[in-house]
Amino acid sequence: MSVPPVHLIVGDDEFLAERARLSVQKAVADEAGAAPEVTFLSTARCTEGEIVEATSPSLFGDNRVIVFQEAEKAGKDAVAQLLKACVDPMPGMTMVVLFATSQQALKKRKKAPELLAKLQKVATVHEVYELWPNERGPWLTREFASHGVRPTPDVINALLEGVGSDLRELASAVSQLVADTNGNVTAQAVHTYYVGTAEVEGWDIADAAVAGNVSAAVASCRRALQLGVSPVVLSMALASKVGDIARLYNVSGGNTNQLAGQLGMAPFRLKKALPVARRWSADNVSKAVILMAETDAQVKGRGGDPEFAIEDAVRTIAMLAK
């Protein structure tokens, strides 16, 4: 069965959207026997002429994927040209349109945006809406199933409590657990993996940093690195804590269990982070989030010394927290 020529990826979960796009690219590659030429265009900023040029026949091959990002921000002329291209795509060309919106935003509208409404009629639709808290368990079960593993409910609960609600982190955890246990994933295995010595060290360092304990955070970070703890692991723990702060710093009052459900956080995690988060300012939260994005790239080998990068990040986050 050939790959459909037009795909609409609609929703507000970036990880699910990225996964859907990559699955389309893989399907195209498998069908053609070679990786396609992939072109990315920002529909919000490109001109009508740029869309015409990108979707015109190519002299250099027919194995192409054109990815139109930010389609929800496209102007009237860009919408018209994009629809024209999607209704009659060139042979050998696969169109992928990314339309970021939430289910709530769509429900508030009297009618769907023109581009979305018309594309739904001609495209293969991939829904990637952010999951509700009660949907994460079933999603995790399916994620395990894709690795050939049937998890028990206690495994799912342990993983949600240990990792949280970020689907990218959950997917990575599933993959790692399956590989490390040869598919024999138990609640004890989850507990051991995420509450082992190295992980406790990582979370302890992150807790000290976001609480503003500069000397303790930096000293613990250095000890962890000397013991062989990966900078990537430390960065993930620190980024997770900064993410909690970013979600909670401006939250006041309310039932903690109810807030946890609304924010997709485990209740115990929210209760622990909330008092710390309230001491942070909006400006310093922004700086911390940007810093962690840069640190993530550095510890994964995209420039600089990973160990220096994570130690510097720990120190800077702790100073921002004071």
Side-chain angles (χ1 to χ4, degrees), residues 187-314:
Q188 183 58 47
V190 175
H191 179 81
T192 299
Y193 191 86
Y194 287 98
V195 195
T197 303
E199 286 297 318
V200 169
E201 188 80 20
W203 293 118
D204 286 348
I205 293 166
D207 282 337
V210 298
N213 298 327
V214 181
S215 59
V218 173
S220 296
C221 180
R222 287 176 180 170
R223 285 200 305 272
L225 292 171
Q226 289 170 355
L227 290 170
V229 178
S230 167
V232 175
V233 170
L234 298 178
S235 178
M236 287 177 60
L238 186 57
S240 179
K241 292 294 182 181
V242 168
D244 288 350
I245 299 299
R247 283 192 282 182
L248 297 172
Y249 78 95
N250 61 352
V251 172
S252 59
N255 180 281
T256 53
N257 288 329
Q258 184 178 4
L259 283 172
Q262 293 172 347
L263 297 172
M265 296 177 67
F268 76 89
R269 184 171 172 178
L270 182 142
K271 290 177 183 177
K272 183 177 181 179
L274 192 55
V276 176
R278 286 173 174 166
R279 300 203 297 266
W280 280 70
S281 68
D283 184 51
N284 282 356
V285 167
S286 297
K287 291 177 181 177
V289 170
I290 293 171
L291 172 63
M292 289 317 303
E294 295 171 347
T295 303
D296 180 69
Q298 290 177 313
V299 299
K300 291 178 180 177
R302 294 193 286 273
D305 181 341
E307 294 192 356
F308 174 84
I310 186 60
E311 183 177 324
D312 185 64
V314 166

Side-chain angles (χ1 to χ4, degrees), residues 4 7 57 69 71 84 94 98 129-130 150 156 169 186 197 203 212 224 250 254 259-260 265 294 320:
H7 296 261
Q69 300 170 303
K84 182 179 179 181
T94 302
L98 297 172
Y129 296 109
E130 184 176 334
R150 297 179 62 181
I156 298 299
E169 292 182 11
T186 64
T197 303
W203 293 118
N250 61 352
L259 283 172
M265 296 177 67
E294 295 171 347
L320 287 172

Side-chain angles (χ1 to χ4, degrees), residues 118-138:
K118 292 186 176 180
L119 277 179
Q120 286 175 327
K121 297 178 181 179
V122 300
T124 296
V125 180
H126 307 260
E127 293 189 348
V128 294
Y129 296 109
E130 184 176 334
L131 300 184
W132 294 98
N134 64 349
E135 295 176 317
R136 295 186 190 116

Side-chain angles (χ1 to χ4, degrees), residues 49-59 61 64 66 85 90-91 93:
E50 289 172 323
I51 295 177
V52 172
E53 182 180 357
T55 57
S56 297
S58 172
L59 298 175
R64 291 191 288 158
I66 314 298
M90 293 293 103
M93 180 182 298

Side-chain angles (χ1 to χ4, degrees), residues 141 144 149-158 185-187:
T141 299
F144 273 111
V149 173
R150 297 179 62 181
T152 54
D154 60 338
V155 167
I156 298 299
N157 292 335
V185 184
T186 64

Side-chain angles (χ1 to χ4, degrees), residues 5-242:
V6 183
H7 296 261
L8 169 64
I9 299 175
V10 55
D12 52 346
D13 190 288
E14 292 183 5
F15 171 68
L16 294 181
E18 179 185 4
R19 176 176 278 189
R21 174 181 63 78
L22 291 174
S23 72
V24 173
Q25 291 176 206
K26 183 179 184 302
V28 172
D30 290 345
E31 182 177 87
E37 174 192 341
V38 182
T39 301
F40 292 89
L41 285 178
S42 170
T43 322
R45 294 189 290 273
C46 68
T47 65
E48 184 179 0
E50 289 172 323
I51 295 177
V52 172
E53 182 180 357
T55 57
S56 297
S58 172
L59 298 175
F60 302 101
D62 297 325
N63 185 22
R64 291 191 288 158
V65 174
I66 314 298
V67 181
F68 292 94
Q69 300 170 303
E70 300 180 302
E72 73 282 359
K73 300 177 183 177
K76 184 177 180 180
D77 291 341
V79 166
Q81 188 57 50
L82 180 55
L83 285 171
K84 182 179 179 181
C86 288
V87 169
D88 187 25
M90 293 293 103
M93 180 182 298
T94 302
M95 316 274 280
V96 179
V97 181
L98 297 172
F99 196 106
T101 185
S102 67
Q103 289 178 308
Q104 296 93 323
L106 289 179
K107 287 179 181 178
K108 290 179 182 179
R109 300 179 66 109
K110 292 183 178 179
K111 63 178 183 178
E114 178 190 10
L115 179 60
L116 189 58
K118 292 186 176 180
L119 277 179
Q120 286 175 327
K121 297 178 181 179
V122 300
T124 296
V125 180
H126 307 260
E127 293 189 348
V128 294
Y129 296 109
E130 184 176 334
L131 300 184
W132 294 98
N134 64 349
E135 295 176 317
R136 295 186 190 116
W139 181 85
L140 257 182
T141 299
R142 295 192 297 273
E143 190 70 16
F144 273 111
S146 71
H147 292 273
V149 173
R150 297 179 62 181
T152 54
D154 60 338
V155 167
I156 298 299
N157 292 335
L159 200 52
L160 287 171
E161 288 182 3
V163 177
S165 62
D166 186 279
L167 297 189
R168 190 182 301 276
E169 292 182 11
L170 286 169
S172 176
V174 169
S175 178
Q176 190 67 53
L177 281 165
V178 171
D180 286 357
T181 64
N182 292 319
N184 184 29
V185 184
T186 64
Q188 183 58 47
V190 175
H191 179 81
T192 299
Y193 191 86
Y194 287 98
V195 195
T197 303
E199 286 297 318
V200 169
E201 188 80 20
W203 293 118
D204 286 348
I205 293 166
D207 282 337
V210 298
N213 298 327
V214 181
S215 59
V218 173
S220 296
C221 180
R222 287 176 180 170
R223 285 200 305 272
L225 292 171
Q226 289 170 355
L227 290 170
V229 178
S230 167
V232 175
V233 170
L234 298 178
S235 178
M236 287 177 60
L238 186 57
S240 179
K241 292 294 182 181
V242 168

